[in-house]
Amino acid sequence: VIKTLFNESIDLLLGVTGIFLMLMYLIFILQGYPKYSKSWENWIPIKHRELANDISSDLNEGMRAYFRGQATIALIVGLLFCLGFSIIGLPLAILMGILIGLLNLIPYLQILGFIPVLLLCILQSLESDQNLWITIGAASIVFFIIQLIQESLLIPRIMNKVTGLHPAIILLSLSIWGSLLGMTGLILALPMTTLLLSYYKRFANKETNE
């Protein structure tokens, strides 16, 4: 027992120490970020600075476009969930719609919203003496319809407009990057794909000109 308590105490102490060090690193990085963001070019050899500036500019532009498009999609999806949950009479329909809209800022994370929705379905069934499976089925239909709208209309049209990528390339890039890097890959999929295609076009144009 003493050995177990000692080991658990050491693990807890190491965990707290790790969190403290991470916070300290974050504070120092944020304090020095304005200075480093202006002077980072000086760390790069002169012959590579133009390329580094181009990469940084394209990446910033791609990230801005992506998050602007994803925020628009999240807003529309949140409104659709508010409407759908209100139609089926789900408790806290507006709050759940807003929550799922916020989760949708990260692609496919809105599926986590089904857990609290399931709990609300159970609550609604107990309060109204409705069949639980009918309530869950109605909520599942709302999820399915909105997901279908998002995948077939919102993502191809909005992301195609802000990133210039074909809908098929958008879906393919999300699948590939998501399988490679998980949740981080889903966040970076479209900006990185846009960046890679941009430099492929530059390389192809350079080869053609030569």
Side-chain angles (χ1 to χ4, degrees), residues 82-97:
C82 290
L83 179 61
F85 290 152
S86 299
I87 291 175
I88 66 175
L90 190 72
L92 304 176
I94 304 299
L95 180 61
M96 286 309 306

Side-chain angles (χ1 to χ4, degrees), residues 33-198:
Y33 178 76
K35 176 182 176 181
Y36 295 138
S37 63
K38 296 178 181 178
S39 63
W40 68 271
E41 295 179 6
N42 298 329
W43 304 351
I44 300 173
I46 296 177
K47 63 179 181 179
H48 298 305
R49 284 182 187 177
E50 183 178 357
L51 178 61
N53 279 323
D54 291 341
I55 293 174
S56 176
S57 176
D58 287 349
L59 186 58
N60 286 333
E61 183 179 350
M63 293 294 286
R64 287 197 195 100
Y66 168 73
F67 284 113
R68 185 168 59 247
Q70 192 63 33
T72 303
I73 293 174
L75 175 62
I76 297 174
V77 167
L79 293 175
L80 290 176
F81 271 108
C82 290
L83 179 61
F85 290 152
S86 299
I87 291 175
I88 66 175
L90 190 72
L92 304 176
I94 304 299
L95 180 61
M96 286 309 306
I98 294 173
L99 173 63
I100 296 177
L102 292 175
L103 289 174
N104 201 66
L105 289 171
I106 300 176
Y108 303 110
L109 196 63
Q110 71 269 22
I111 195 64
L112 295 180
F114 194 78
I115 298 174
V117 169
L118 180 61
L119 297 177
L120 290 176
C121 287
I122 296 173
L123 179 63
Q124 182 187 16
S125 178
L126 293 175
E127 288 183 349
S128 60
D129 291 330
Q130 255 185 335
N131 188 300
L132 176 61
W133 296 110
I134 293 177
T135 307
I136 295 176
S140 300
I141 290 173
V142 171
F143 267 91
F144 175 77
I145 292 175
I146 296 177
Q147 187 69 32
L148 184 63
I149 293 173
Q150 180 180 348
E151 295 294 334
S152 61
L153 293 176
L154 297 180
I155 291 179
R157 291 181 179 274
I158 295 176
M159 285 303 181
N160 182 26
K161 184 176 181 180
V162 299
T163 63
L165 298 177
H166 190 275
I169 296 179
I170 292 175
L171 296 178
L172 181 62
S173 66
L174 288 173
S175 301
I176 294 175
W177 287 97
S179 62
L180 290 176
L181 301 177
M183 194 62 63
T184 305
L186 292 176
I187 298 174
L188 299 177
L190 297 184
M192 293 303 295
T193 303
T194 304
L195 184 65
L196 290 175
L197 289 177
S198 172

